[in-house]
Amino acid sequence: MLPMSTFTLFFLVLYAFFSLVTSAPAPLQRDVFVPPVLYPGKGTVWRHGERHNVTWDISNAPAHITNNLGVIVLCREHELLDYEHPLAQDFDILLGRYEIVVPKVPKGSNYRILVFGDSGNTGEAFTITK
Ligand SMILES: *[C@@H]1O[C@H](CO)[C@@H](O)[C@H](O)[C@H]1NC(C)=O
């Protein structure tokens, strides 16, 4: 299997993201894994440079998924931040957690984490500060 290009990835993320945001009935494919983000969430405060394990629920993972390489992208409200440099990529999405370093982004309480393999799901809004 060839690795996805950043370009392909970008449109995949956009598709995954906007199909959630618009709540339009997304065409349901077989073997699409949409892991809900468990951490960070409501009440989480991260500081620049800290290391944290982003975690997501793998209990509904299908037995066979077409792409088990995960990507973690930071979002602010419904905007993907620096998707060309995701917080993490090329890890096994079935791990259910992955350690990231909090980037130096402006202070804000409307950040979200997007984790996706074939599709994605953003977590609850949380805060990053200095
Ligand atoms: C993330 O989880 C791994 C495995 O449990 C652990 O070894 C590591 O210390 C954790 N990292 C942080 C920042 O808590």
Side-chain angles (χ1 to χ4, degrees):
M1 185 170 62
L2 290 171
M4 274 188 292
S5 70
T6 304
F7 193 71
T8 309
L9 208 54
F10 174 55
F11 285 102
L12 187 66
V13 174
L14 274 190
Y15 173 76
F17 203 63
F18 285 107
S19 60
L20 285 167
V21 170
T22 60
S23 78
L28 202 60
Q29 252 177 277
R30 281 194 322 158
D31 299 332
V32 170
F33 183 31
V34 184
V37 173
L38 301 176
Y39 178 84
K42 208 174 288 176
T44 301
V45 178
W46 282 357
R47 292 166 198 282
H48 295 160
E50 283 178 346
R51 305 184 76 89
H52 289 286
N53 277 312
V54 170
T55 62
W56 56 94
D57 186 2
I58 55 167
S59 60
N60 289 318
H64 169 74
I65 56 179
T66 50
N67 170 30
N68 65 347
L69 291 184
V71 180
I72 299 175
V73 184
L74 183 65
C75 307
R76 190 160 194 186
E77 275 309 319
H78 297 300
E79 187 189 343
L80 301 166
L81 300 177
D82 204 6
Y83 59 83
E84 286 186 342
H85 304 100
L87 298 184
Q89 62 184 333
D90 295 339
F91 55 85
D92 183 352
I93 193 134
L94 297 179
L95 284 172
R97 60 144 189 89
Y98 204 77
E99 193 178 280
I100 58 90
V101 175
V102 181
K104 283 196 176 175
V105 289
K107 180 176 174 165
S109 59
N110 54 356
Y111 287 99
R112 287 169 200 274
I113 287 292
L114 170 67
V115 176
F116 70 94
D118 281 343
S119 187
N121 214 343
T122 46
E124 292 173 334
F126 69 101
T127 301
I128 293 180
T129 188
K130 278 187 197 162

